[in-house]
Amino acid sequence: MMRNKFKSLICITSFALSPLSFAQIVNLNEAKVIEMALKRNESMGISQAEIEIANSKIDAATSSLLPTLSIQAQVQKSSGRGSAAPNAYDWNERATIGVSQPIYTFGKISSAIDIAKVSQKISKSQALATKADIVNTARKLYYRVLFSSDILRVSKESFENANQNKKTLEKRVAYGRISRNDNLKMQADVASRKPLLIDSEKNLNIAKFDLMNFINIPESSELNLEVNSLSKVSLNEDDGLSTIENNIDIKILTENLKLSELAVDNERSNRMPTLSAFANFTPSNYKDGFLGDKIKDQKDLTFGVMFTFEWPFGGSLNDAVQIKKTQSRIAKLQLDMETRNQRVKLLKLYRQKESLERKLESELRAIELALSSYKVSLGAFATGGVSQLQLNDSELLLTNNRINYAGTKLELLNTMVDIQRIKTESSKRGE
């Protein structure tokens, strides 16, 4: 009986610990986060699929230059009078095999091919923009995890400092140097640090979940960050040139403008005729009734040149051209507006970067001074040299300075990531 109970206890314990035993530990650094995001995020797969579609559209447009084969088979019965052909109104079997070849389309096919090629360039540029956006988001999510980790660490240190202050006060109370009311105030101060600690733990967990979701890691995984603090993240050097030359987003809008201009030419060509050559072979069997015997067979071969011209009286072809012209004008306005916006945005980011760098330096100095002040206050409080309020204020000042430093470092890193995103260039010609 005891043996069975012991086995049951082992089974229950193993089942309870199984999620921890099989939890995947993922080691991450900034480079690894970017690599996993580019491999696992679905947006990259979507952009590659769009490139494949664009390649297929080029093949489809180019295929219009080749002949077209058509095959048709039918059984029919006609009703009428006065046909010169005998048995023309009986049940007949007929098949047609035809081949047509465009000779000159006044730009219909060539403009369609050009449109498909420009669409392919846009798809490739959009894939590069998607890659840049993924890198941008992955880095920001990674920095956010480090920021949350820093805030949690500061919250824990603040909670520990408050407890240390309380222990120092309790020694003074034991010597009868301070009132019980001051002791209660100190306990209240310790309790006030707990909510910040709880919020910090929650924010860190949420930041980790967002990062794991973006790089497609199971939620049950455990993250092991090789760098555990924003203070250890180095600031990348930047050339400081506020230029948007070859900016990938501007490149996409430039290609869109070219595409809209080609669309105008394509609509104009739709107003022109089409010249093509054709050849048809048509064998026919005339029958005596639906299931009757064959009475006569006939074989026709037709070939020649066909000139096709269609013009709707309502003028819809002219309207289509006008619509494309207006869309082209809109594309030009969008290009001009986005070029100006990107230039101004980059200038603003550089100004913000310079300000944050100065702010970060001053906050680091503030932390050093606040830490020294807290240590002096703690030593003086033990001997009654400073009041409880002064001690708590010096510790809170240290905590706030550390939190402000982490927030400024996060903002600076995100600013530099945004600068790199704007300066992302399109691929070189021919690549």
Side-chain angles (χ1 to χ4, degrees):
M1 181 65 69
M2 290 296 295
R3 182 179 299 177
N4 292 336
K5 289 183 178 180
F6 183 70
K7 289 182 178 179
S8 301
L9 181 60
I10 292 177
C11 293
I12 294 173
T13 305
S14 300
F15 179 77
L17 295 178
S18 58
L20 298 176
S21 302
F22 294 95
Q24 180 185 7
I25 299 177
V26 182
N27 297 316
L28 291 180
N29 53 34
E30 185 172 344
K32 186 66 174 180
V33 167
I34 294 174
E35 178 186 355
M36 296 180 70
L38 293 176
K39 286 183 178 180
R40 299 188 178 195
N41 193 275
E42 291 80 2
S43 298
M44 283 301 298
I46 293 173
S47 62
Q48 293 300 320
E50 290 174 346
I51 292 178
E52 294 177 7
I53 293 175
N55 293 336
S56 299
K57 287 182 177 180
I58 293 179
D59 295 338
T62 305
S63 66
S64 299
L65 296 171
L66 302 176
T68 300
L69 174 67
S70 60
I71 300 176
Q72 183 181 16
Q74 62 183 22
V75 178
Q76 67 179 33
K77 185 179 188 308
S78 303
S79 176
R81 295 182 179 180
S83 175
N87 312 108
Y89 299 133
D90 292 337
W91 285 97
N92 303 320
E93 297 174 344
R94 177 172 296 175
T96 302
I97 301 177
V99 178
S100 62
Q101 170 65 52
I103 298 177
Y104 192 69
T105 62
F106 295 89
K108 292 185 182 69
I109 296 178
S110 60
S111 61
I113 294 175
D114 291 339
I115 288 174
K117 289 181 178 179
V118 174
S119 298
Q120 182 196 48
K121 292 181 180 179
I122 293 175
S123 297
K124 291 182 177 180
S125 297
Q126 288 176 337
L128 290 175
T130 299
K131 179 180 179 180
D133 288 335
I134 289 176
V135 172
N136 181 285
T137 303
R139 293 177 67 183
K140 287 185 176 180
L141 289 174
Y142 173 69
Y143 294 153
R144 182 179 152 207
V145 172
L146 295 182
F147 168 76
S148 301
S149 179
D150 283 348
I151 298 301
L152 177 59
R153 187 179 301 107
V154 170
S155 301
K156 288 181 178 179
E157 291 178 359
S158 177
F159 188 72
E160 292 172 357
N161 290 340
N163 279 305
Q164 180 63 34
N165 297 346
K166 179 175 176 293
K167 290 179 181 179
T168 304
L169 179 65
E170 288 173 349
K171 292 180 180 179
R172 292 180 59 185
V173 171
Y175 298 146
R177 297 180 182 177
I178 202 162
S179 68
R180 185 171 178 274
N181 182 51
D182 289 334
N183 189 31
L184 291 174
K185 289 181 180 179
M186 183 65 76
Q187 292 179 2
D189 181 68
V190 173
S192 67
R193 313 298 173 95
K194 195 68 174 179
L196 177 61
L197 181 59
I198 295 173
D199 280 341
S200 301
E201 292 174 344
K202 176 200 67 176
N203 293 335
L204 177 58
N205 289 329
I206 292 176
K208 287 182 177 180
F209 282 138
D210 288 339
L211 177 61
M212 289 189 293
N213 176 60
F214 190 75
I215 61 179
N216 198 6
I217 292 178
E219 295 82 358
S220 59
S221 302
E222 180 181 348
L223 299 185
N224 180 29
L225 302 178
E226 297 180 8
V227 176
N228 60 0
S229 175
L230 278 179
S231 60
K232 298 180 181 180
V233 178
S234 60
L235 300 175
N236 296 327
E237 294 295 331
D238 186 87
D239 54 22
L241 299 177
S242 56
T243 175
I244 57 169
E245 186 179 357
N246 294 325
N247 174 279
I248 186 64
D249 300 299
I250 302 301
K251 175 68 173 179
I252 292 174
L253 289 176
T254 303
E255 295 294 343
N256 277 328
L257 176 59
K258 185 176 180 180
L259 183 65
S260 63
E261 292 172 348
L262 289 173
V264 174
D265 296 335
N266 186 61
E267 289 296 339
R268 285 173 177 167
S269 66
N270 288 334
R271 299 184 299 187
M272 306 300 292
T274 300
L275 180 64
S276 58
F278 69 92
N280 296 323
F281 175 68
T282 306
S284 303
N285 293 327
Y286 296 93
K287 302 176 63 178
D288 183 14
F290 180 68
L291 299 176
D293 297 332
K294 181 172 67 174
I295 299 175
K296 179 184 178 182
D297 60 354
Q298 178 179 335
K299 295 180 176 60
D300 298 316
L301 177 62
T302 307
F303 58 90
V305 177
M306 180 170 56
F307 189 79
T308 305
F309 181 74
E310 295 182 356
W311 185 268
F313 288 121
S316 60
L317 294 180
N318 287 335
D319 294 335
V321 173
Q322 187 59 40
I323 290 173
K324 294 300 181 182
K325 286 182 177 179
T326 305
Q327 291 176 343
S328 178
R329 189 167 70 251
I330 292 173
K332 180 64 170 61
L333 293 173
Q334 289 175 334
L335 174 60
D336 294 341
M337 180 178 64
E338 186 63 21
T339 301
R340 185 179 66 254
N341 290 341
Q342 290 278 353
R343 183 180 298 110
V344 173
K345 184 178 180 181
L346 186 58
L347 289 172
K348 290 167 60 178
L349 286 172
Y350 272 122
R351 298 297 179 271
Q352 180 175 333
K353 172 178 173 290
E354 294 171 0
S355 176
L356 289 172
E357 286 174 340
R358 294 196 302 268
K359 184 179 178 182
L360 192 69
E361 184 178 354
S362 64
E363 287 177 343
L364 186 60
R365 176 59 177 165
I367 290 175
E368 295 175 355
L369 295 175
L371 180 59
S372 299
S373 174
Y374 172 65
K375 290 180 179 179
V376 171
S377 298
L378 184 60
F381 180 71
T383 60
V386 298
S387 66
Q388 175 187 342
L389 180 61
Q390 290 173 320
L391 176 64
N392 290 342
D393 286 344
S394 64
E395 196 283 325
L396 287 175
L397 179 62
L398 174 62
T399 298
N400 291 333
N401 285 340
R402 286 173 171 172
I403 293 175
N404 291 337
Y405 175 82
T408 302
K409 185 65 177 291
L410 176 64
E411 188 177 1
L412 177 58
L413 288 171
N414 287 340
T415 299
M416 298 185 69
V417 168
D418 289 335
I419 290 175
Q420 293 178 10
R421 172 61 183 87
I422 291 181
K423 297 178 69 173
T424 300
E425 296 184 355
S426 59
S427 59
K428 297 179 181 179
R429 185 180 301 273
E431 289 186 358

